[in-house]
Amino acid sequence: MDTPSTLDRLEQTIAARADAAPDASYVASLNAKGLGKIAQKLGEEATETIIAALSEGDDALVGEAADLLFHLMVLLGHKGIAIGDVMAELDRREGVSGLDEKASRE
């Protein structure tokens, strides 16, 4: 049996905490506030990642990228979308030109 990846373990942790009491878990508190708040948090983390990339060191960028991935995983979990579905989409796109892939969506 394969060892679960970091993202798989994070997905499991997020799922386990999603329905906890809001004052007992950050994930539960976000879920209790709803999709709009989760999306807002994801946007804030994306902005902080951009700022770190443009004006801070690599350590700051790594930290912000981790926050961004975490909040994306919370959003996916809230929507009932498995990280495996996202990975499968990335696998599907592998070897396809980004320009060709974008044109296929238009």
Side-chain angles (χ1 to χ4, degrees), residues 6-62:
T6 302
L7 292 178
D8 291 331
R9 290 190 312 272
L10 178 58
E11 181 177 56
Q12 292 167 0
T13 300
I14 288 168
R17 295 181 181 167
D19 295 325
D23 62 346
S25 164
Y26 177 67
V27 171
S29 71
L30 282 176
N31 276 300
K33 292 174 185 171
L35 182 60
K37 183 62 175 179
I38 297 168
Q40 176 187 352
K41 240 349 239 182
L42 181 61
E44 290 170 8
E45 296 301 340
T47 299
E48 290 171 6
T49 302
I50 293 165
I51 291 167
L54 294 173
S55 63
E56 298 178 26
D58 290 351
D59 288 346
L61 177 56
V62 168

Side-chain angles (χ1 to χ4, degrees), residues 59-103:
D59 288 346
L61 177 56
V62 168
E64 294 300 341
D67 290 347
L68 180 62
L69 284 172
F70 171 81
H71 286 87
L72 175 59
M73 297 280 296
V74 172
L75 179 100
L76 291 171
H78 188 81
K79 295 288 291 178
I81 298 171
I83 190 63
D85 294 340
V86 176
M87 302 310 287
E89 177 62 13
L90 288 172
D91 288 343
R92 184 191 69 76
R93 294 180 185 186
E94 189 174 354
V96 177
S97 158
L99 295 174
D100 291 342
E101 196 285 324
K102 187 173 180 178

